[in-house]
Amino acid sequence: MQRFVDVAPDVRLWVEERGPADTPALLLIMGAQASGLAWPEELVDLLAARHRIIRYDHRDTGRSTWSYDRRPYALPELAGDALAVLDALGVDRAHVVGMSMGGMLTQLLLADHPKRLLTATLMGTGALSVRPYTGPDGAQTPAAELPGVDPELVRLWSEPAEERGLEEELDRRVEHWRLLSGDLIPFDAEAARALERRIVEHTGHHRTSTAHARADTAGMERTGELAVNRVPTLVVSAPAEPVYPPPHADHLAQVIGGARLVTVPGMGHALPREVHQPLSAAILEHTAGR
């Protein structure tokens, strides 16, 4: 079922629900500049076997309102959007799965609105904490000195935004997915192109937005709040992660109270078919009975 939810004056978000309505809600929060359709259909269906799945388009993505250029917003406001979606659907508490920027928004929810979450699952994201990372040998590394983004991704992201024809834009997006996927699982360019073509059809155009990259990120650090977290939290470690390379996931599990770590073999900063079964199994095991 699809609908639109008003989250702010003149801002509407596209929302989709799937799965039995009488099962616990599971909210999927995608990353920056990514439509909710970036959650693959097969993965959503696997999770919907046990949950009422809710996914949505952030502002400035998909069918939601593209509003940043006329009304700039700070990135934390997008965490408020997630709560507004739950409110509109009558959901008091939900399991929340966040990827990349969505993982940061989920951390804000953990810190600021823990009573709204049944569990949290975080993947492909960095910690909103200044606590150092403690390595296996006991050595400490300042959070700001953990490994950075793969240089090839930095190069692609630094290219100036420009209008392109549809096929040229799809070429760029496929290359983006290739870099995000890492090098441990064979890259399926045709599947990536088909996904992006669906997203273009869903959105109604193939323009790109840089809104989330331009949004103010001030005030997002939550070191103290995350340290005393009591919401059951699962951190997914991805060995081929190019945006938040190892040991970012280990660091995340260290700074969030009670968090536990699970590794999905071969996973990068993408959700190819090869990770759907192990990832969904880990999430469903984490949410079971809660």
Side-chain angles (χ1 to χ4, degrees):
M1 180 177 70
Q2 301 179 23
R3 61 182 291 183
F4 287 91
V5 168
D6 294 318
V7 297
D10 300 320
V11 177
R12 308 178 76 201
L13 303 186
W14 173 87
V15 179
E16 181 196 67
E17 294 183 79
R18 188 180 307 185
D22 59 351
T23 54
L26 191 156
L27 178 69
L28 299 172
I29 307 181
M30 208 358 108
Q33 313 304 155
S35 161
L37 265 64
W39 294 103
E41 299 300 313
E42 179 184 358
L43 178 61
V44 174
D45 285 338
L46 287 168
L47 297 173
R50 296 192 200 170
H51 289 287
R52 172 190 178 189
I53 301 299
I54 303 166
R55 63 176 174 173
Y56 66 99
D57 290 340
H58 293 294
R59 306 182 193 196
D60 293 281
T61 73
R63 294 183 187 173
S64 292
T65 303
W66 290 45
S67 60
Y68 188 86
D69 288 335
R70 69 172 184 275
R71 181 190 173 277
Y73 48 81
L75 210 60
E77 289 185 54
L78 300 185
D81 287 354
L83 292 180
V85 168
L86 295 180
D87 290 342
L89 300 183
V91 177
D92 291 330
R93 301 182 71 197
H95 301 282
V96 179
V97 178
M99 181 165 188
S100 195
M101 181 190 76
M104 293 184 177
L105 301 180
T106 303
Q107 290 177 68
L108 292 178
L109 297 179
L110 281 173
D112 301 342
H113 303 278
K115 293 183 179 180
R116 299 299 301 272
L117 279 71
L118 292 167
T119 69
T121 299
L122 308 171
M123 63 186 86
T125 195
L128 301 183
S129 172
V130 297
R131 176 179 164 185
Y133 164 67
T134 303
D137 60 355
Q140 292 197 331
T141 302
E145 295 179 13
L146 291 174
V149 180
D150 183 285
E152 284 298 298
L153 275 168
V154 174
R155 177 194 58 77
L156 184 64
W157 292 346
S158 65
E159 292 179 356
E162 58 184 36
E163 290 190 14
R164 302 177 178 87
L166 173 59
E167 297 305 320
E168 185 182 3
E169 174 61 19
L170 290 174
D171 289 342
R172 187 193 68 83
R173 296 188 189 190
V174 169
E175 172 63 7
H176 189 214
W177 280 119
R178 183 185 70 79
L179 295 173
L180 289 175
S181 296
D183 56 5
L184 296 182
I185 293 175
F187 178 62
D188 188 339
E190 291 185 5
R193 197 176 195 87
L195 170 63
E196 285 299 335
R197 199 176 292 278
R198 282 191 64 239
I199 290 173
V200 167
E201 292 172 355
H202 166 77
T203 303
H205 59 79
H206 64 275
R207 298 192 305 274
T208 59
S209 171
T210 59
H212 299 160
R214 290 182 285 151
D216 187 0
T217 60
M220 291 181 66
E221 184 260 317
R222 295 290 190 278
T223 302
E225 295 88 342
L226 292 175
V228 297
N229 170 64
R230 293 296 179 266
V231 176
T233 300
L234 179 68
V235 177
V236 176
S237 177
E241 170 64 57
V243 181
Y244 293 97
H248 276 277
D250 300 79
H251 179 231
L252 193 56
Q254 289 178 4
V255 305
I256 298 178
R260 63 186 184 90
L261 195 68
V262 64
T263 298
V264 175
M267 186 171 170
H269 198 82
L271 299 169
R273 183 179 299 275
E274 289 85 350
V275 308
H276 295 174
Q277 287 288 346
L279 179 59
S280 62
I283 294 172
L284 292 175
E285 188 278 331
H286 179 57
T287 62
R290 296 187 171 106

